Amino acid sequence: MAARAGVAERAVQSRHLRRVWGVPGTLLGAAAWPVDWRGRLHVRFNYWWQAHLLDCVVDAQLRAPTEARRQVVRRLVRGVRVRNLVGWTNDFYDDVAWLGLALLRAGEDVGVSRPAGVSAIAARLRDGWTDHGGGGIWWKRNDDFKNVPANGPAAIFLARLAKAGGSHGDLVRARSTVDWMESVLVDPESGLAWDGLHVHPNGEIREIEKNVYSYCQGVLLGANLELAQDSPTALDRVERLVRAVDKELAVDGVLRGHGGGDGGLFGGILLRYLARAAVVLPGFERRAAAEIAAEVVFASAEAVWNNRTVAVSGPVFGPEWTAPAVAPARERRPESDLSVQLGGWMALEAAALLERSGFDPPRR
């Protein structure tokens, strides 16, 4: 799996990475391939896709450290800051949380630290909490929607920030955020997380959006994992989610897709945290759940690879991992999207992490 992850990395970098407006020392991922003039100028920025691109390069650096890759991390971080124009944040709390997580990892795992960026993101997320709907942070500023895609990564970020020497109050915020999601946005029958809820101006819940996305399961799983060291309840929730994902969201062990655009990242996000669950759970004597998580990661990564197609610059992954990918040409396809290619790369990095951690992939 490590070799496959390396091939995916090279394909994404060769197709998508470009300087920001020619500024030296910068890189960003062009939103689509083949890259046209809009891509070369980064007209479409896709802030949170860049955070996941940065995360993937950090994964690759942990897999096979090189100084060249460290410089890619440094240039991506600078590229995000240059292209974002107004600072490190935007109006979407989920976007902000994802960049915060990527910056934390870049600092801790690669040595590319941006404390000003982390501080700005932490302040924005702390300010996003209100009592509307019982708690949680908003999806975006001046909105009426609170959802798992914003609260999950925010809880992970705040918990990690506290563990890295930050404020104990951030750990309390993370716990409160997770408890809120579990109390109002988890289906009691399936054990899976719903998308989010709308609130009236007076704070009462108006409507719950009961869509089920792999993205939501991944971030709620990740948030509970951050609290597992001191919380048997969080461990029970992790195990519940692992088993529910396997039962409800996988077909023959392979995660279902969510198309192109933002949906191209959803499966990869869930696999990232399933891999982390597989690594962490045996230390808490939850080996059966760990094996289930690992099986979904390996089966999904194998499907990603087996259903790839090939272009001149390397493999092209599809939005639905059980179906053959089609290389984009002039027409726009889901395979054109950076998000879809990152999702495939993330799947392969998750499987490579499990191999490094001592898990045996199934016989091919």
Side-chain angles (χ1 to χ4, degrees), residues 29 33 116 124 147 189 210 228 272 311 314 328 357:
W33 177 81
R124 175 61 58 86
N147 62 0
E189 294 185 7
K210 294 187 176 182
R272 176 183 296 281
S357 301

Side-chain angles (χ1 to χ4, degrees), residues 214-225:
S214 51
Y215 177 172
C216 297
Q217 319 319 314
V219 294
L220 184 56
L221 178 63
N224 275 301
L225 280 167

Side-chain angles (χ1 to χ4, degrees), residues 16-166:
H16 290 272
L17 264 60
R18 300 289 187 279
R19 278 185 178 183
V20 182
W21 307 322
V23 176
T26 64
L27 283 174
L28 278 182
W33 177 81
V35 179
D36 59 12
W37 69 268
R38 293 177 181 84
R40 287 190 291 273
L41 292 177
H42 299 289
V43 173
R44 291 174 60 204
F45 177 28
N46 298 95
Y47 176 112
W48 81 291
W49 296 13
Q50 308 301 328
H52 285 287
L53 172 58
L54 178 57
D55 249 340
C56 282
V57 180
V58 173
D59 288 340
Q61 180 71 349
L62 293 175
R63 168 174 47 81
T66 67
E67 179 57 28
R69 195 180 287 111
R70 183 173 177 273
Q71 292 305 318
V72 172
V73 170
R74 184 182 300 280
R75 294 174 71 188
L76 282 171
V77 170
R78 184 162 188 243
V80 169
R81 176 60 190 85
V82 169
R83 176 59 182 82
N84 201 46
L85 296 175
V86 296
W88 290 100
T89 61
N90 69 12
D91 286 339
F92 289 83
Y93 290 99
D94 55 343
D95 288 12
V96 169
W98 283 121
L99 183 60
L101 284 169
L103 289 178
L104 280 178
R105 294 189 70 216
E108 293 173 3
D109 296 332
V110 186
V112 178
S113 299
R114 293 295 182 272
V118 171
S119 295
I121 288 168
R124 175 61 58 86
L125 294 176
R126 293 178 193 126
D127 289 344
W129 176 281
T130 73
D131 291 331
H132 294 75
I137 66 170
W138 300 102
W139 173 48
K140 64 179 179 180
R141 302 173 85 184
N142 303 314
D143 197 41
D144 72 344
F145 192 51
K146 291 185 172 185
N147 62 0
V148 174
N151 282 272
I156 298 169
F157 170 80
L158 292 170
R160 290 184 181 175
L161 189 63
K163 293 175 186 177

